[in-house]
Amino acid sequence: MPTLLIADDSMFQRFQAAKVAREAGFAVIEAKDGQECLRLALEHRPDALLLDLNMPDPGGIAVMEILSRDMPGLAIVVVTADIQETTRGRCLALGAKGFLNKPVDGPALRQALEPYCQERPDGPR
């Protein structure tokens, strides 16, 4: 079963995204801030990361900078209420595979996660 790490400081957003992801066949891990996200990503090596840009300690961009170095193959889907073109460009440069607007709706999330819902033939990261 593929694993999705959901990093968002909003418990409601994590709950909603986790529900959709589980229905799509993912095992789900949740992080409430950047530090927890980094720790869980390195510990569990998920297939994909649903990452809120505006979360504390550190924020989403800083998380992406670290993970692009330490886990370069990680598929990151960025979640944000509003994104400027410069921020979008920075996220793409750091390896973002997609963008979703908050609040995330179920069909859009399922579509964004579709490429990552198959288990890798080489096993866990």
Side-chain angles (χ1 to χ4, degrees), residues 48-117:
L49 168 60
L50 190 63
L51 178 66
D52 177 22
L53 281 188
N54 296 316
M55 62 178 180
D57 190 31
I61 295 289
V63 167
M64 289 183 72
E65 289 170 346
I66 293 165
L67 292 178
S68 69
R69 181 191 68 226
D70 295 348
M71 294 180 64
L74 178 61
I76 300 173
V77 177
V78 172
V79 179
T80 185
D82 182 35
I83 191 164
Q84 298 176 351
E85 282 306 310
T86 54
T87 304
R88 178 185 278 277
R90 181 74 177 130
C91 290
L92 288 170
L94 291 170
K97 302 296 184 201
F99 297 88
L100 292 172
N101 290 322
K102 273 188 169 183
V104 176
D105 76 329
L109 178 56
R110 273 191 284 286
Q111 184 175 3
L113 295 177
E114 181 67 30
Y116 316 108
C117 65

Side-chain angles (χ1 to χ4, degrees), residues 5-64:
L5 173 55
I6 301 170
D8 197 313
D9 58 327
S10 165
M11 184 173 31
F12 177 75
Q13 291 295 325
R14 288 193 316 270
F15 174 81
Q16 293 293 92
K19 182 175 185 258
V20 171
R22 285 185 182 103
E23 289 170 357
F26 283 89
V28 174
I29 304 165
E30 298 180 34
K32 66 184 175 311
D33 60 36
Q35 286 295 333
E36 188 174 31
C37 175
L38 291 169
R39 181 180 58 78
L40 292 172
L42 294 171
E43 181 180 324
H44 293 278
R45 308 302 244 188
D47 298 283
L49 168 60
L50 190 63
L51 178 66
D52 177 22
L53 281 188
N54 296 316
M55 62 178 180
D57 190 31
I61 295 289
V63 167
M64 289 183 72

